[in-house]
Amino acid sequence: MLRRILLIFLLASLWGVAQQPDVFFSDLDTGKKPWTHLDFANDPKDFQFAIVTDRTGGPRPGIFEDAMEKLNWLMPEFVITVGDLIRGAEGRDSVKLAKQWKAHFNRIEPLKMPFFHLAGNHDIKANNDFQVAYWNRLFGAPYYSFVYKDVLFLALFTNQGTQILSAEQIAYFEKVLQENKNVRWTMVFMHHPLWRYPHMSNFEKLEGLLQERDFTVFAGHQHRYNYSKKGKSNYYVLATTGGGSELLGNRFGMFDHITWVTMTDDGPQLANLKLDGILPHDIADQRTEALSQDLVKSVFYDSQVFVDNASRFTRGRAYITYTNVSDLPIRVKGRFYHNHYVSVRPGEISEVVPPKGTKTIPIALQAIESFDLKENIKLELEGSLYYEDPEYKDLKLKGVTEIPIKVSDYQVLPIEEDVFFSTASVSMQNTIPGVSVHYTLDGSNPDALSPVYTEPITVKKEGSVKAVLLTEEGWMGKVDQMKLKPLKPGKGMIAEVYDLNTYGKSDISMPDFDLQQPTRVRVAEEFDPMRIAQKEREYAIRYWGTLEVDKSGTYDFHAISDDAIALRIDGRPVLSDLVKHKAREVSGSIDLKKGKHKVEIQYFQFRRNYALELWYRDSKGKKIMLTPKDFRYGE
């Protein structure tokens, strides 16, 4: 029976070996390989553990708890400390000790791996037998040892008397070392870095016992990182994991961290992981991606400067307007750098921009000595933008923005040039509080005595509407102008020109015209986009007109464009090629009845070359080219 059981076990073992794939497999059978070597760092004897250091001595709330959460992301095999886990108590105050240790256990309760305790001078006060006994009731002993994967760990208690290791403790560790002569490494943990103190502490006796083996020493207490080497061994004083610190930075050795140790045949390999550099797997999700993009969009501001003189600056006011495109409130904070030419009040700003809203901040300006506005003087505002919502407060942008001291070119009028058939209704915009719009219709420049805009005005003849913003003091911005031209129905198409900005956009395609404001409106007699737009790149044109066909039937329309094009007749889509591209042909068909039909042609020009041609084929297949002269407007 025993022989049969052994045979079954042997067969099962062989079957398992046969079925288990190799650790590494690739079907690449070439002589050369796209990898450097196959010496994987996966020795079963290797392991990783983490060390946390002082939490007290001026604890900063939340830091140690943050470390516990991040240790669960990192998943070491265990965690060990160098002490000072609680604030501590004086004398025999068991009530305070119980409360503090309960809070500590709550802090480490989320850990998924073992946590090894070690006493610091806050955990057990010097020469306090009561607190030693209290510690023993919780943890068994203030000093101990263990072996893990052939590595010996020594946990010392350095607060017996004045940082003295008792004779009993030295005897205990001597016995432990004698029983573990052949371990591959020894790790020594203590709270006080006893090797750095001038008085006798008995640590030199323990060092003497360690000399015939490989060992590494870790301590805390001083809240400042320090590495040193004695003989062939490394000695480390760790910084803090939430304990009191000025956090002056890496080179000062003052930072919050976890020490990550990987045990190898060559000894322990160390890396200090700063807590603010350990990030969770979901650090940036779809929500934060959208909010970060909205914050970048919202960092752009509009500044308007009004001055008391159009040529020399003596005094004035700047209005800084921030637009928040996100659905959360954004805080704007900043301060103005000292300027040798202009005094600024207030010197600092702190305002909240509401969700999907704007915030305009007035700034009073006073010249230290008057200067010519052509001198290109600029204010510099050092600031930051971040979300008020605590969950996303770490989404923050910092930088310096410039505000030129020059008369502002504020777009009061909605368009540079427009046409109308009988009357035109002109609206003007002003989003700056405390500033009014003054306008004229006779071509003269408006001033404080010109009419104040309160509602849309009606224009019946050709001319120019001019408008300007004025502060309560009568300080002016730059005059804005809109040309208006009356039309009678005629041949051609109405062309709306839209200036675009595609910088930083990944989706380069036909814009949504219903969400855009045209820059100018003209009559087009030829399909010459650059001539009608008066620019070479980044614009779109929407052509309107009426096409009359003399016969009902199916019409095949064709177009060549560079870049995008779309054709709609009577509101129905006929053809479209909406993304940027080199010149190419696109076609589409539509049934039309004899008579007049409303036509809309959309065109988008990105960069470099441009092209726009349109034609259809009649019932006999003849190619009929179309130009704006084949259309009519105003009908």
Side-chain angles (χ1 to χ4, degrees):
M1 182 69 177
L2 177 61
R3 196 176 290 176
R4 182 180 178 186
I5 293 172
L6 290 173
L7 178 61
I8 292 172
F9 177 78
L10 178 60
L11 290 172
S13 300
L14 291 173
W15 175 260
V17 170
Q19 294 302 306
Q20 287 294 324
D22 292 334
V23 173
F24 174 85
F25 171 78
S26 171
D27 60 0
L28 189 65
D29 58 2
T30 60
K32 295 292 185 180
K33 309 294 186 188
W35 48 77
T36 56
H37 60 80
L38 296 178
D39 185 16
F40 294 104
N42 60 353
D43 191 320
K45 295 186 298 181
D46 292 351
F47 62 92
Q48 291 82 32
F49 67 94
I51 309 171
V52 293
T53 181
D54 296 51
R55 191 197 73 83
T56 54
R60 287 166 288 117
I63 306 299
F64 193 83
E65 293 84 343
D66 182 46
M68 298 301 102
E69 180 181 12
K70 289 171 178 175
L71 284 166
N72 281 336
W73 303 344
L74 295 167
M75 290 301 293
E77 295 182 37
F78 61 87
V79 180
I80 190 167
T81 178
V82 289
D84 272 6
L85 299 168
I86 65 171
R87 285 177 179 266
E90 298 300 328
R92 305 169 65 87
D93 194 339
S94 60
V95 174
K96 183 177 287 188
L97 287 173
K99 183 178 180 181
Q100 291 181 16
W101 281 116
K102 181 180 179 181
H104 163 72
F105 291 132
N106 288 337
R107 283 190 290 270
I108 67 170
E109 193 275 333
L111 274 183
K112 298 176 182 177
M113 66 289 302
F115 186 95
F116 289 81
H117 290 82
L118 181 143
N121 59 288
H122 281 269
D123 306 316
I124 300 176
K125 298 295 184 181
N127 298 316
N128 193 315
D129 293 338
F130 172 82
Q131 292 188 13
V132 171
Y134 196 99
W135 173 280
N136 290 344
R137 287 199 298 272
L138 292 175
F139 305 115
Y143 54 87
Y144 60 96
S145 67
F146 64 91
V147 176
Y148 184 76
K149 292 190 177 181
D150 201 30
V151 175
L152 174 63
F153 289 78
L154 307 181
L156 280 58
F157 176 40
T158 60
N159 212 30
Q160 288 181 297
T162 307
Q163 303 148 15
I164 292 177
L165 301 179
S166 65
E168 293 80 8
Q169 191 171 168
I170 294 295
Y172 166 78
F173 284 118
E174 183 176 12
K175 179 174 180 294
V176 168
L177 292 169
Q178 182 67 27
E179 293 172 350
N180 295 275
K181 288 182 177 180
N182 299 318
V183 293
R184 56 180 174 142
W185 210 271
T186 299
M187 303 283 193
V188 182
F189 290 83
M190 65 186 75
H191 181 65
H192 298 88
L194 297 181
W195 68 93
R196 303 192 74 187
Y197 294 102
H199 61 269
M200 299 299 290
S201 65
N202 279 344
F203 180 63
E204 73 280 358
K205 294 182 179 179
L206 183 60
E207 280 184 309
L209 298 172
L210 292 166
Q211 293 309 307
E212 299 303 319
R213 62 178 63 215
D214 294 321
F215 69 94
T216 304
V217 183
F218 299 95
H221 184 64
Q222 295 185 337
H223 296 208
R224 189 165 190 162
Y225 191 89
N226 178 271
Y227 159 74
S228 59
K229 197 172 186 71
K230 295 178 67 176
K232 63 178 183 178
S233 297
N234 292 331
Y235 288 63
Y236 298 95
V237 181
L238 306 184
T240 52
T241 312
S245 175
E246 296 178 59
L247 299 177
L248 295 179
N250 298 352
R251 288 301 186 182
F252 290 87
M254 301 175 74
F255 47 82
D256 287 315
H257 70 120
I258 294 165
T259 295
W260 186 265
V261 184
T262 299
M263 189 63 216
T264 72
D265 282 340
D266 296 324
Q269 306 297 312
L270 266 70
N272 289 297
L273 310 180
K274 291 180 66 175
L275 292 184
D276 58 4
I278 304 173
L279 307 177
H281 73 100
D282 59 351
I283 182 62
D285 55 20
Q286 290 181 327
R287 173 64 169 160
T288 55
E289 180 183 24
L291 286 174
S292 62
Q293 290 175 350
D294 284 347
L295 194 64
V296 171
K297 294 175 185 176
S298 301
V299 76
F300 297 105
Y301 68 97
D302 177 48
S303 66
Q304 302 299 322
V305 176
F306 299 86
V307 298
D308 62 346
N309 187 295
S311 59
R312 292 194 65 81
F313 179 78
T314 304
R315 56 183 178 168
R317 182 174 288 120
Y319 294 87
I320 309 172
T321 300
Y322 289 89
T323 300
N324 181 359
V325 303
S326 78
D327 57 7
L328 295 177
I330 290 177
R331 169 72 64 175
V332 178
K333 291 188 71 173
R335 63 181 182 86
F336 287 95
Y337 287 150
H338 174 71
N339 190 287
H340 295 289
Y341 299 89
V342 182
S343 173
V344 181
R345 294 290 181 273
E348 297 184 358
I349 62 173
S350 181
E351 299 284 350
V352 174
V353 189
K356 305 293 184 182
T358 62
K359 183 69 176 184
T360 299
I361 306 168
I363 306 293
L365 309 175
Q366 179 70 50
I368 297 173
E369 289 187 15
S370 67
F371 56 85
D372 194 318
L373 284 170
K374 295 179 181 179
E375 291 189 31
N376 195 30
I377 304 302
K378 297 177 180 178
L379 302 178
E380 292 181 307
L381 175 63
E382 179 188 44
S384 59
L385 280 83
Y386 55 88
Y387 288 107
E388 285 283 277
D389 189 321
E391 184 176 356
Y392 301 105
K393 208 164 187 176
D394 57 336
L395 286 173
K396 179 180 288 189
L397 292 175
K398 297 181 179 181
V400 177
T401 54
E402 294 182 340
I403 302 172
I405 304 299
K406 65 178 183 179
V407 181
S408 297
D409 187 7
Y410 187 86
Q411 187 176 336
V412 180
L413 296 161
I415 193 170
E416 294 176 5
E417 188 178 335
D418 203 355
V419 296
F420 64 93
F421 291 100
S422 57
T423 60
S425 179
V426 179
S427 297
M428 304 179 197
Q429 62 178 359
N430 171 31
T431 60
I432 304 176
V435 173
S436 58
V437 179
H438 294 250
Y439 70 92
T440 59
L441 301 177
D442 60 4
S444 63
N445 286 335
D447 56 26
L449 300 178
S450 302
V452 178
Y453 174 80
T454 56
E455 60 184 6
I457 59 176
T458 300
V459 177
K460 297 182 179 181
K461 62 181 182 179
E462 183 174 0
S464 294
V465 179
K466 292 186 177 182
V468 69
L469 295 180
L470 279 84
T471 67
E472 295 173 350
E473 298 88 350
W475 302 340
M476 298 177 62
K478 191 173 181 179
V479 175
D480 193 15
Q481 178 175 287
M482 174 181 177
K483 295 180 180 179
L484 287 166
K485 181 179 180 180
L487 295 177
K488 292 181 180 180
K491 287 186 177 182
M493 302 185 82
I494 300 297
E496 299 173 351
V497 180
Y498 297 77
D499 290 337
L500 304 176
N501 180 7
T502 61
Y503 177 76
K505 295 181 180 178
S506 58
D507 180 21
I508 310 299
S509 60
M510 187 80 75
D512 186 341
F513 288 94
D514 293 333
L515 300 178
Q516 306 285 330
Q517 176 67 45
T519 307
R520 62 196 70 87
V521 181
R522 294 180 172 143
V523 174
E525 296 181 347
E526 301 290 341
F527 285 132
D528 188 346
M530 189 171 73
R531 182 177 180 182
I532 202 74
Q534 294 185 335
K535 58 186 302 188
E536 295 182 354
R537 55 193 287 172
E538 297 191 67
Y539 63 85
I541 303 175
R542 180 156 61 170
Y543 297 89
W544 296 93
T546 300
L547 178 66
E548 185 172 4
V549 298
D550 56 9
K551 187 177 181 179
S552 299
T554 300
Y555 287 79
D556 296 325
F557 285 87
H558 302 258
I560 292 178
S561 69
D562 179 354
D563 290 283
I565 190 170
L567 171 65
R568 300 176 69 88
I569 299 179
D570 296 330
R572 293 178 290 168
V574 180
L575 58 82
S576 66
D577 192 358
L578 301 181
V579 297
K580 68 180 181 71
H581 56 74
K582 296 180 179 180
R584 66 190 182 195
E585 182 178 338
V586 63
S587 62
S589 300
I590 187 172
D591 292 331
L592 297 177
K593 293 182 179 181
K594 178 182 178 180
K596 296 177 179 180
H597 299 273
K598 292 183 178 180
V599 176
E600 176 187 350
I601 303 169
Q602 299 178 357
Y603 173 80
F604 164 60
Q605 166 61 17
F606 180 48
R607 295 174 186 168
R608 298 187 180 91
N609 301 326
Y610 71 97
L612 176 57
E613 296 180 8
L614 180 67
W615 71 90
Y616 70 92
R617 296 189 183 276
D618 62 14
S619 58
K620 296 180 181 180
K622 183 180 178 181
K623 182 177 181 179
I624 309 297
M625 296 297 298
L626 292 172
T627 72
K629 291 181 180 179
D630 297 305
F631 298 81
R632 294 187 64 84
Y633 58 80
E635 297 181 355

